[in-house]
Amino acid sequence: MPFPYDDVTDLIDRAARFAEDGATVPARMRLAEARQVIDAGLRAGEHQPARRTYLDCEFLPGLTTTGGFVSAGLTDGEGRDWYGVNAEMDFAAVMANPFQREYIVPFLPLDSSGALDLDHEDVKPLAQIRDETTAYFDTGVDTVLYAYYGASDLMRLHSLWNHDWQAMPAPIPRWLDDLKALAVRAGNPEMPPQEKGVHHALEDARYNRVMHEVLLSLGRG
């Protein structure tokens, strides 16, 4: 459970306002100094993971099996990237979906006939995707996963093991911090535009990192 920072600071501020009623100027200055010390202490006590990772998945909304798993991208705070396109996706269903055909398919490796290029290095069978994502997370350090509107992304990641947590390797995250939730709590600050690759899983994962960096700069990450 994350530290209830906003609740604690609200209590501090309410107590300080009450104490300031009728206080002398030096007393108010001491209250302000105390508030700063408490704020710094709360920040120092927050848990900071050794590694922050960012996930995005592209998928068919109505097909929740791995046939609807199109691609996934991962990156972290150090810029270590991983990307995979599912060689076993239901490509016909993807092509039959207007949104997928317009926005997702142009980023996929295709052969000269317009079919998925199974020989491309980014196109990988599910077994390889499972092995590589496990290796990506298996670093032996404290890791937190972030995604934007991330419930579906985490669900798709877990679908690689049929949502069986007993079968899922231990390094695979069971939970994530949702960047949308963090942004809402921060007052929905303005984010820089995504410069390229909207709906490309790796580019979207990289942009998740950009958004989180904004939130971290505001002390709300």
Side-chain angles (χ1 to χ4, degrees):
M1 178 179 180
F3 187 85
Y5 179 84
D6 291 336
D7 293 338
V8 173
T9 52
D10 180 62
L11 287 170
I12 293 167
D13 286 339
R14 280 192 284 158
R17 286 194 297 271
F18 180 79
E20 284 171 354
D21 289 342
T24 63
V25 171
R28 292 187 183 193
M29 291 177 64
R30 286 194 294 273
L31 281 167
E33 292 171 358
R35 190 183 298 132
Q36 291 176 355
V37 170
I38 293 169
D39 183 82
L42 289 172
R43 290 290 183 200
E46 289 183 330
H47 173 70
Q48 298 297 328
R51 186 187 186 207
R52 297 183 175 95
T53 59
Y54 304 90
L55 169 69
D56 183 77
C57 296
E58 302 299 339
F59 51 86
L60 273 170
L63 186 57
T64 57
T65 65
T66 51
F69 183 99
V70 176
S71 60
L74 287 162
T75 193
D76 67 7
E78 302 300 320
R80 289 169 287 194
D81 295 339
W82 177 86
Y83 178 63
V85 175
N86 179 14
E88 300 172 44
M89 76 173 83
D90 187 340
F91 189 68
V94 170
M95 289 297 292
N97 182 289
F99 181 90
Q100 298 281 325
R101 191 169 60 248
E102 181 174 357
Y103 294 104
I104 310 300
V105 172
F107 291 117
L108 301 180
L110 305 178
D111 62 23
S112 57
S113 71
L116 190 64
D117 184 357
L118 298 178
D119 293 325
H120 193 281
E121 63 180 358
D122 291 338
V123 181
K124 305 169 183 181
L126 287 169
Q128 183 179 352
I129 291 175
R130 284 192 288 267
D131 289 345
E132 291 183 0
T133 52
T134 300
Y136 185 87
F137 288 111
D138 190 12
T139 59
V141 300
D142 183 25
T143 298
V144 173
L145 179 65
Y146 299 85
Y148 186 67
Y149 286 103
S152 292
D153 299 286
L154 189 63
M155 185 273 285
R156 296 293 174 159
L157 179 65
H158 289 181
S159 76
L160 297 173
W161 291 273
N162 198 31
H163 309 287
D164 183 350
W165 284 20
Q166 297 300 315
M168 194 185 305
I172 300 298
R174 269 59 171 176
W175 61 276
L176 55 75
D177 266 355
D178 195 301
L179 293 167
K180 179 60 179 178
L182 293 175
V184 168
R185 294 187 186 117
N188 281 317
E190 184 176 355
M191 296 291 176
Q194 184 170 343
E195 296 181 355
K196 64 177 182 177
V198 177
H199 299 306
H200 182 290
L202 180 56
E203 294 296 341
D204 287 352
R206 290 169 174 165
Y207 183 64
N208 287 347
R209 182 177 60 218
V210 170
M211 288 192 291
H212 193 213
E213 287 170 351
V214 171
L215 293 168
L216 289 169
S217 73
L218 298 173
R220 298 300 184 126

